[in-house]
Amino acid sequence: MIDRLSAAFRFATGLQSFLSRTLSAEECRQIVEAGLRQRETSFLHLVESAVFGNPNSPYLPLFQRAGVSMPDVTLWLNESGVEGALGKLFDAGIWLSLDEFKGRAPLKRSGLERPIHARDFDNPLLTRHFSLRTGGSRGPGTLLTIDLDYIRHEAADDRQFLESFNLLDRPLAIWRPIPPGTAGLKGILRRAKLGLRVDRWFTQAKPSTAPGDLAYLAITYLSTISGRLWGRGSPFPEYVPLTDARRVAEWLASMTAAGTPALLDTIASSGVRVARAALDMGLDIRGTLFRLGGEPLTPSKVRLVEQTGSRAVCHYAMSEIGRLGLACGAPSELDDVHILTDKVALIQRERATGGIRLPAFFLSSLHPGSPKIAINVESGDYGVVTERDCACPLSQLGLRQHVHHIRSYEKLTTEGMHFMGPDLLHLLEEALPARFGGGPTDYQLVEEEEQGTTRISLVVSPRVGPIDESLVVADVLETLGGATAGTRMMATTWRQGDTLRIVRREPFATSASKIQALHIPPRGETG
């Protein structure tokens, strides 16, 4: 506990310098433009320092196995640019699966097998203003790292989004969990660095004073108190459970009534709950912009928000790397996002999953402040990637790579919380059969959408026999909750949102007659 609290107070020291000076509009543009100009240089520095200059790098055996040297990388960059070089590296076998990157599977290639851990990908170049490793129930845990220089860059990106949507003078509310969830805290810090206030911070996660959670509570309140001391208007978090979305809707209605419709930054399912509450209560929230994240922005979610006279847009992020994309101000699709090529690179390669081949995203970090070193890391997502100029200020800066129809094939995600494939396999193939009977193919999780809200069904084969459904739900949440603060928070959110339900039928099978642990129906398919 002493180490955790010490980490929190080290963070407070860094905050003083971070908050003492805000970024101007011109500085924000210069940061993004510099990132775009220096992409090749940044990538070379990362590979040279964090791979070839780090004998413990998990990437180094891949480079050695492929016979790729530093001069090779330099040559490919000069010939083909960052994405072209990454494509050559991928073809040479230099890439990582999502399970490998998260330390859930050993690094395994023909002639190479090496145990790896999530911490092996921690960025050795990083200035860790706050760094805390959580304990893991079936692994080494995860590293929660906050680098204020990286948040400074993300603030510069955020300024472009706010200008694109004319949001600089609009009131803002955040409805996101407090740490160990980082999206809410980082949103507060980015806004403070721009000299802009956050009016309300609603949180779905109830603050915990358990010994293992005290450090998270400390950095939350240190950040808000420091923000207030520096005149940044940082609000204290207010606990608003998922079942009480009307409170957020009432605040939005008060902003509309005052002639200043607000920006709401929240998880997609939480935003749907707010829109539904406004409709049910007859509240006028017209003009609100819902900035939704954590889940795919689907047509049904957008339609529900639009029924309130509001608009919904989304960004794109990955917890280990941070913000990957910003909503386009002149979108061609509902979830059109500009990839932030000033600090990340994205290429696509086919991956086979569930009997089909998908155009998977592989991501690489370019910024020296990225929490993790990522080189062709599978994100677990796929979608459509295009290059185009649009009428959006982001395009004018040089951010021309767009993605849309972003979906996940590796994660089960709803209410902004996600669980990975190996956790689900343990649950469905071991824990549930041992407790309630049946075998590994008698249980399946299905992700579906109802009236804009993502729901999870646990399909249980009739072969299992009679079960106490409430007991099964409780067991699932307890098993997925594990022993870390992060997984406890995720399980609590699912329990609070009544997200999980039991369905008695045979699990879905693929065209090859395989039964997958996680089934995500194609659009239009129902259960």
Side-chain angles (χ1 to χ4, degrees):
M1 188 191 303
I2 292 174
D3 289 343
R4 290 168 177 252
L5 292 176
S6 296
F9 282 101
R10 287 197 304 272
F11 174 65
T13 303
L15 270 179
Q16 181 177 356
S17 174
F18 178 81
L19 293 172
S20 63
R21 186 175 177 277
T22 59
L23 291 172
S24 68
E26 181 58 28
E27 286 174 317
C28 290
R29 283 190 290 273
Q30 289 174 357
I31 288 170
V32 176
E33 290 169 348
L36 289 169
R37 284 196 309 271
Q38 298 165 7
R39 297 182 84 233
E40 287 81 4
T41 302
S42 297
F43 185 64
L44 275 177
H45 175 62
L46 181 145
V47 173
E48 186 172 32
S49 302
V51 178
F52 289 102
N54 178 12
N56 297 318
S57 168
Y59 294 102
L60 190 57
L62 293 176
F63 276 83
Q64 292 170 338
R65 174 180 174 273
V68 175
S69 65
M70 195 66 212
D72 293 324
V73 178
T74 303
L75 176 64
W76 292 342
L77 273 171
N78 291 335
E79 289 179 344
S80 310
V82 172
E83 282 74 17
L86 287 168
K88 292 180 183 293
L89 290 173
F90 187 99
D91 295 340
I94 299 171
W95 61 274
L96 290 171
S97 71
L98 187 58
D99 281 343
E100 289 169 339
F101 188 59
K102 288 181 174 288
R104 298 172 181 268
L107 185 62
K108 204 170 188 178
R109 303 291 187 274
S110 176
L112 170 66
E113 184 167 355
R114 166 182 164 166
I116 49 177
H117 305 284
R119 61 178 175 268
D120 295 337
F121 300 99
D122 295 349
N123 185 353
L125 311 176
L126 190 64
T127 302
R128 291 183 172 86
H129 294 96
F130 178 82
S131 182
L132 180 65
R133 188 169 298 282
T134 63
S137 58
R138 292 187 294 276
T142 57
L143 184 71
L144 172 60
T145 298
I146 294 176
D147 176 73
L148 295 174
D149 293 333
Y150 198 53
I151 290 179
R152 175 178 178 270
H153 193 124
E154 289 194 331
D157 289 325
D158 254 12
R159 172 92 193 195
Q160 315 314 314
F161 162 69
L162 295 171
E163 289 182 355
S164 296
F165 287 84
N166 297 314
L167 296 170
L168 286 168
D169 297 325
R170 300 270 289 273
L172 167 67
I174 293 175
W175 192 21
R176 289 185 179 271
I178 58 175
T182 59
L185 178 62
K186 288 181 178 180
I188 295 285
L189 294 174
R190 286 193 298 264
R191 190 88 171 177
K193 191 62 181 174
L194 295 175
L196 303 173
R197 63 178 289 119
V198 175
D199 295 87
R200 303 288 285 271
W201 182 4
F202 305 110
T203 173
Q204 302 94 333
K206 191 173 186 179
S208 169
T209 56
D213 297 335
L214 283 178
Y216 300 122
L217 201 60
I219 66 164
T220 300
Y221 283 93
L222 282 170
S223 299
T224 52
I225 291 170
S226 298
R228 288 181 173 217
L229 289 175
W230 284 97
R232 304 291 179 251
S234 301
F236 290 115
E238 308 169 45
Y239 175 51
V240 177
L242 290 173
T243 53
D244 204 11
R246 63 171 183 82
R247 286 176 54 188
V248 182
E250 286 170 346
W251 182 81
L252 294 178
S254 70
M255 294 298 101
T256 295
T260 54
L263 165 62
L264 176 64
D265 183 327
T266 189
I267 296 157
S269 289
S270 295
V272 167
R273 290 173 182 272
V274 172
R276 189 176 293 128
L279 292 170
D280 290 345
M281 299 174 65
L283 296 173
D284 182 3
I285 62 170
R286 283 177 294 177
T288 300
L289 183 76
F290 285 69
R291 208 289 285 171
L292 304 177
E295 303 164 38
L297 183 62
T298 58
S300 60
K301 289 181 172 67
V302 171
R303 282 195 299 270
L304 192 65
V305 170
E306 289 178 343
Q307 287 177 35
T308 69
S310 304
R311 182 179 179 184
V313 299
C314 67
H315 292 340
Y316 182 40
M318 183 178 181
S319 59
E320 290 84 0
I321 302 176
R323 182 71 59 73
L324 304 173
L326 294 177
C328 178
S332 63
E333 301 288 343
L334 294 175
D335 60 345
D336 192 353
V337 169
H338 287 265
I339 292 298
L340 294 172
T341 48
D342 55 322
K343 61 188 183 70
V344 297
L346 180 152
I347 65 172
Q348 281 184 296
R349 289 295 186 273
E350 281 196 345
R351 287 281 277 163
T353 179
I356 59 174
R357 302 189 70 82
L358 297 170
F361 294 167
F362 286 82
L363 296 161
S364 299
S365 54
L366 304 179
H367 193 281
S370 174
K372 298 280 187 181
I373 298 296
I375 301 176
N376 284 338
V377 169
E378 178 186 29
S379 70
D381 299 326
Y382 68 100
V384 179
V385 180
T386 63
E387 291 277 340
R388 71 180 182 93
D389 290 316
C390 62
C392 174
L394 294 171
S395 179
Q396 296 166 16
L397 275 172
L399 299 171
R400 300 184 60 255
Q401 189 178 43
H402 294 247
V403 299
H404 60 83
H405 285 87
I406 305 167
R407 299 292 184 268
S408 174
Y409 59 89
E410 283 280 354
K411 304 183 288 288
L412 181 63
T413 304
T414 186
E415 303 292 359
M417 308 297 150
H418 66 266
F419 293 96
M420 299 301 300
D423 291 327
L424 304 180
L425 285 174
H426 168 77
L427 169 72
L428 299 172
E429 296 187 1
E430 299 177 36
L432 291 178
R435 182 80 186 275
F436 300 102
T441 61
D442 290 328
Y443 299 89
Q444 184 182 63
L445 286 165
V446 178
E447 184 178 276
E448 299 169 300
E449 192 166 288
E450 287 185 356
Q451 298 179 332
T453 300
T454 305
R455 297 290 303 271
I456 306 300
S457 298
L458 174 63
V459 175
V460 182
S461 170
R463 290 191 301 273
V464 175
I467 56 173
D468 183 330
E469 294 188 1
S470 61
L471 189 60
V472 174
V473 169
D475 195 72
V476 168
L477 294 174
E478 182 179 352
T479 302
L480 289 177
T484 73
T487 53
R488 285 198 303 271
M489 179 185 73
M490 290 190 285
T492 298
T493 302
W494 276 21
R495 185 180 294 110
Q496 182 189 112
D498 193 25
T499 298
L500 184 66
R501 61 186 175 184
I502 306 297
V503 176
R504 300 304 305 269
R505 65 174 179 231
E506 290 299 330
F508 290 99
T510 68
S511 57
S513 298
K514 295 180 181 179
I515 294 176
Q516 304 290 327
L518 170 61
H519 176 76
I520 303 176
R523 188 177 299 174
E525 178 183 323
T526 62

